[in-house]
């Protein structure tokens, strides 16, 4: 694929590591999180914190089902969402009680993580180059370069990356860059007892996700849907894809995220026009005759 | 909406959303939107309003003032030239301090010049500022000291050229984010910022330059204010749900204040060419209007990132629209 502004900022980009300058890159790595087998044990959250030395970030009681972690952030790189909501019993699925119960309560768990976007806004807007694309196609912050400008924080369309206030720099999931370079599975996937979190080559994971979706649909789980699997989506496909059992926003995921840099070409053009506008306008202001 | 209602995860749209729909005459059922316990989806900027909204204003004031200063210098209006040069130099100095202060690791500010990156408006802006600030400072220093007037004039012209970029790139800086109120306004902000910067620079000229030389400042102020007000109005009409972020709460109050101050300042500027006092009042009102505009835009962005409605509702609509066309 030719490296043009358009292909580098939106749409499918199969050679993401090569486009970032790696001559010979290993297969792109990612996560497939199959929420249909998540039991909400939070082993992933704990394993991530342990392996990555992520500090404790408050022990709050939220009242939001079993979720006291609340959201991804600088000190939470895996977050298990607990969706607990009433459903009319008629919507219950027979055969396994997979997504509901006869009492009319739907209980969904999903372990969220950085999407390691194909077109990662955090990386695109980072002015120092602290955020970079690894040879595995993942997105990682170089902590010795980050100067805490915070630009990546509002740029991420999923609200993943954040600043650690007392430190000043930004932090997020590295997809265990230090493990996968040694053929080790990332800590969260390693600790997951149900294989809800699967790690591997992104191409394989996409196939696995599609198969799993087919199986579930055949079993009558009609709400099952994939999230982040399509290279045609707004971020060119995520490196971390999900199988969800409800619409994405129920889990706190944006339903149709688009990388902001897709529109940056037009923004630069308009900035240029506006700058010329100031020059012309000011010249006009001096054109009048002096009193 | 495919999901059943009830439970903590579903919220009704507030009354204003319903009104907006009716205004546009779209015949759709009242949409509820689903969220995760009403929690934000996006992260609001970590930036301090005083630092960053302050910089949006000061950068605009500086950039456009350099343009006004160059014109004043070339047309032999030494009073206006000095005021604008000093204004630009002062504003950009405070800007640089604010920008470094806002960093999580201020001592690493120099990493901003580690690379140059077109996809990062902040990177482009850092390079722009490194070119602009020395020129603006040199131009002011030469004016005040009388040393090297020709070089000072040349520096001033360079600052004027780069200043148009300094005053406008900040629009891309905020619009190139996922923050709904900023990104959705990406077609408007460059022109809005250009208008607001020009109005502020003209305002400063009216405030502090001799009355006899204030003609160009007056015309710049009126023109800039007109552009700013017109673009802001168009923005509110056309960007959809995100427009509400500019109309409610703190952002709404700031935007209202901006409209009043800018409008009144421009009107007064247009008729006060014989009164030193009224010109000053007009100038102060325009400068204050530009401050309110920038803080209003900043707050609108923060608010739109905190409320999942601004993320879910338009994205869900987009998704459903796409599904209907493909089906
Ligand atoms: S999800 Fe956010 S933080 Fe992760 S790569 Fe994408 S833009 Fe960056």
């Amino acid at each position: 694929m030719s490296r043009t502004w358009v292909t580098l900022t939106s749409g499918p980009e199969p050679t993401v590591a090569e486009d970032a300058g790696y001559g010979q890159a290993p297969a792109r790595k990612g996560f497939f999180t199959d929420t249909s087998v998540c039991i909400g044990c939070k082993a992933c959250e704990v394993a991530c914190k342990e392996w990555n030395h992520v500090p404790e970030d408050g022990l709050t009681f939220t009242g939001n089902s079993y979720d006291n972690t609340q959201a991804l952030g600088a000190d939470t790189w895996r977050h298990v969402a607990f969706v607990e909501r009433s459903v009319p019993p008629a919507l219950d699925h027979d055969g396994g009680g997979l997504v509901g119960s006869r009492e009319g309560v739907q209980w969904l768990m999903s372990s969220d993580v950085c999407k390691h976007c194909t077109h990662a806004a955090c990386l695109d807007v980072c002015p120092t180059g602290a955020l970079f694309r690894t040879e595995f196609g993942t997105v990682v912050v170089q902590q010795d370069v980050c100067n805490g400008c915070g630009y990546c924080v509002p740029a991420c369309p999923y609200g993943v990356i954040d600043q650690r206030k007392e430190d000043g720099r930004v932090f997020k999931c590295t997809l265990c860059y230090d493990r996968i370079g040694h053929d080790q599975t990332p800590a969260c996937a390693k600790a997951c007892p149900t294989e809800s979190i699967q790690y591997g080559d992104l191409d394989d994971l996409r196939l696995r996700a599609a198969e799993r979706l087919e199986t579930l649909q055949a079993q009558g789980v009609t709400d099952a849907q994939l999230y982040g699997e399509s290279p045609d989506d707004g971020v060119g496909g995520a490196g971390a894809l999900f199988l969800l059992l409800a619409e994405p926003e129920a889990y706190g995921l944006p339903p149709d995220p688009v990388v902001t840099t897709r529109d940056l070409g037009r923004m630069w053009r308009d900035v240029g026009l506006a700058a010329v506008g100031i020059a012309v306008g000011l010249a006009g202001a001096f054109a009048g005759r002096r009193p | 909406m495919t999901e059943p209602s009830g439970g903590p995860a579903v919220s009704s749209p507030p009354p204003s959303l319903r009104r907006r729909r009716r205004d546009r005459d779209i015949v759709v059922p009242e949409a509820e939107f689903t969220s995760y316990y009403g929690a934000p989806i996006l992260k609001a900027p970590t930036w301090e309003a005083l630092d960053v909204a302050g910089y949006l204003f000061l950068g605009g004031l500086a950039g456009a003032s350099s343009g006004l200063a160059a014109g004043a210098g070339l047309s032999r209006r030494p009073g206006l030239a000095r005021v604008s040069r000093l204004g630009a130099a002062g504003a950009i100095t405070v800007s640089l301090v604010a920008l470094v202060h806002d960093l999580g690791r201020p001592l690493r500010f120099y990493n901003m010049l580690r690379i140059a990156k077109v996809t990062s408006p902040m990177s482009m802006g850092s390079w722009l500022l490194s070119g602009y600030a020395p020129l603006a400072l040199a131009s002011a220093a030469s004016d005040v000291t009388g040393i090297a007037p020709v070089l000072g004039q040349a520096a001033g012209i360079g600052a004027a050229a780069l200043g148009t970029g300094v005053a406008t790139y900040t629009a891309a800086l905020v619009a190139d984010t996922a923050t709904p109120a900023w990104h959705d306004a990406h077609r408007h902000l460059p022109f809005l910022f250009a208008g607001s910067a020009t109005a502020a620079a003209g305002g400063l000229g009216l405030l502090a330059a001799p009355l006899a030389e204030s003609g160009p400042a007056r015309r710049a102020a009126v023109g800039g204010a007109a552009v700013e007000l017109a673009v802001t109005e168009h923005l509110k009409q056309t960007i959809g749900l995100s427009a509400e972020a500019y109309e409610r709460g703190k952002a709404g109050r700031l935007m209202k204040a901006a409209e009043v101050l800018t409008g009144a300042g421009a009107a007064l500027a247009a008729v006060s060419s014989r009164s030193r006092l009224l010109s000053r009042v007009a100038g102060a009102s325009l400068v204050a209007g530009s401050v309110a505009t920038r803080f209003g835009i900043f707050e609108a962005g923060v608010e739109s990132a905190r409320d999942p409605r601004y993320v879910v509702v338009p994205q869900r609509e987009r998704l459903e629209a796409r599904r209907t066309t493909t089906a």
Side-chain angles (χ1 to χ4, degrees):
Chain A
M1 179 160 302
S2 68
R3 285 189 229 162
T4 67
W5 173 273
V6 174
T7 53
L8 290 179
T9 52
S10 66
E13 189 187 352
T15 53
V16 68
E18 287 85 349
D19 292 353
Y22 297 95
Q24 276 289 305
R28 184 171 172 191
K29 296 290 191 282
F31 284 130
F32 166 45
T33 305
D34 176 1
T35 70
S36 70
V37 293
C38 176
I39 54 169
C41 71
K42 306 192 204 192
C44 51
E45 286 191 11
V46 176
C48 173
K49 284 229 178 202
E50 288 290 328
W51 179 263
N52 294 299
H53 301 278
V54 180
E56 184 260 316
D57 57 342
L59 300 168
T60 339
F61 179 73
T62 64
N64 298 341
S65 190
Y66 284 74
D67 182 8
N68 291 319
T69 308
Q70 303 185 60
L72 292 175
D75 297 330
T76 305
W77 300 354
R78 270 277 178 192
H79 164 231
V80 181
F82 280 71
V83 179
E84 190 176 332
R85 55 182 184 176
S86 358
V87 285
L91 276 187
D92 193 9
H93 296 286
D94 280 319
L98 204 51
V99 296
S101 78
R102 299 204 180 276
E103 287 78 50
V105 172
Q106 190 183 31
W107 211 22
L108 305 170
M109 286 81 79
S110 170
S111 178
D112 196 10
V113 70
C114 169
K115 313 303 174 291
H116 294 277
C117 310
T118 301
H119 302 292
C122 63
L123 191 164
D124 282 348
V125 305
C126 175
T128 63
L131 272 149
F132 79 113
R133 180 80 57 187
T134 73
E135 65 273 35
F136 301 105
T138 57
V139 179
V140 174
V141 186
Q142 297 176 83
Q143 297 302 345
D144 55 338
V145 177
C146 176
N147 68 5
C149 77
Y151 201 3
C152 51
V153 175
C156 170
Y158 303 92
V160 169
I161 195 165
D162 205 359
Q163 188 178 41
R164 194 175 284 168
K165 277 281 171 245
E166 61 284 5
D167 180 288
R169 296 172 296 177
V170 296
F171 295 84
K172 72 167 192 75
C173 162
T174 69
L175 213 132
C176 283
Y177 191 35
D178 52 349
R179 293 175 63 90
I180 64 178
H182 298 277
D183 284 328
Q184 296 287 312
T185 301
C188 56
K190 186 89 185 167
C192 178
T194 65
E195 293 188 347
S196 169
I197 300 174
Q198 302 174 29
Y199 161 77
D201 292 354
L202 189 58
D203 287 338
D204 293 348
L205 295 175
R206 282 183 176 146
L207 288 177
R208 256 191 259 174
E211 270 168 30
R212 179 69 184 150
L213 178 68
E214 229 171 79
T215 312
L216 285 173
Q217 279 176 341
Q219 289 173 355
V221 188
T222 47
D223 289 335
Q225 53 189 286
L226 296 183
Y227 182 77
E229 90 295 355
S230 168
D232 293 311
D233 73 14
V235 299
L241 31 143
F242 297 81
L243 187 148
L244 304 176
L245 298 178
E247 68 282 21
E249 56 267 40
Y251 298 93
L253 294 164
D256 186 30
V258 174
V259 59
T260 182
T261 22
R262 185 195 65 183
D263 300 316
L264 185 57
R266 177 177 258 172
M267 291 182 221
W268 278 137
R269 192 200 61 190
D270 288 346
V271 164
L273 283 175
V276 171
I278 292 182
V280 171
L282 287 178
F286 283 95
R289 227 182 311 128
R290 303 186 67 154
Chain B
M1 188 92 317
T2 52
E3 283 303 308
S5 58
V10 180
S11 344
S12 309
S16 59
L17 179 58
R18 288 182 208 127
R19 181 163 32 79
R20 184 167 291 276
R21 287 173 181 283
R22 214 171 300 135
D23 289 350
R24 288 210 223 104
D25 256 341
I26 302 171
V27 196
V28 288
E30 295 297 344
E32 288 185 316
F33 81 99
T34 308
S35 74
Y36 185 66
Y37 302 103
I41 288 182
L42 301 172
K43 293 279 184 282
T46 56
W47 302 328
E48 292 284 342
L50 202 56
D51 288 334
V52 174
Y55 167 59
L56 296 181
F57 161 70
L58 289 173
L61 173 67
S65 288
S66 289
L68 204 54
L74 293 173
S75 66
R76 294 187 219 297
R77 289 177 171 92
L80 179 61
R82 172 159 300 180
V83 163
S84 301
R85 283 175 189 145
L86 287 177
I92 209 62
T93 307
V94 178
S95 293
L96 295 177
V97 173
L99 290 176
V100 173
H101 174 254
D102 200 67
L103 296 176
R105 288 289 176 101
L107 292 177
R108 290 189 182 174
F109 72 93
Y110 53 82
N111 277 2
M112 287 295 181
L113 302 182
R114 191 176 162 262
I115 56 170
K117 195 165 155 185
V118 215
T119 60
S120 171
M122 194 181 282
S123 167
M124 292 291 99
S126 302
W127 287 102
L128 202 52
L129 286 174
S130 341
Y132 169 79
L135 290 173
L137 291 170
S139 159
S142 159
D143 187 328
V144 175
T145 60
I147 298 170
V150 180
L151 280 180
Q153 191 91 323
I157 289 169
L162 294 179
T164 60
V166 171
T168 49
Y169 93 88
T170 44
L173 180 79
V174 296
D176 194 34
T177 60
T179 306
W182 293 345
H183 186 86
D184 293 347
H186 72 266
R187 299 302 313 270
H188 296 89
L189 291 181
F191 305 103
L192 202 170
F193 279 24
S196 180
T198 310
L204 179 67
L206 287 174
L207 189 61
L211 193 62
E213 296 181 12
S214 69
R218 196 176 301 280
R219 288 187 284 274
V222 173
V227 169
E228 178 191 329
L229 292 173
V231 176
T232 306
E233 193 47 39
H234 191 260
L235 177 157
K236 289 182 182 168
Q237 301 292 332
T238 53
I239 66 167
L241 184 61
S242 285
E244 287 186 13
Y246 291 90
E247 287 162 346
R248 297 171 164 210
K250 193 172 173 192
R253 289 192 295 276
L254 283 162
M255 293 308 283
K256 192 77 219 162
E259 193 180 326
V260 172
L261 289 165
T262 306
L268 192 55
V271 298
S272 61
S273 58
R274 281 162 210 280
S275 163
R276 197 184 162 86
L277 178 69
L278 291 182
S279 292
R280 286 190 171 177
V281 173
S285 181
L286 284 158
V287 172
S290 182
V291 173
T293 299
R294 307 314 181 100
F295 278 78
I297 291 171
F298 185 87
E299 292 298 337
V302 170
E303 193 41 46
S304 71
R306 286 194 183 137
D307 187 342
R309 196 169 59 102
Y310 292 107
V311 180
V312 173
V313 173
Q315 291 193 16
R316 178 51 59 192
E317 279 175 7
R318 195 160 71 203
L319 203 61
E320 299 301 338
R322 216 161 46 225
R323 277 195 193 140
T324 354
T325 43
T326 47

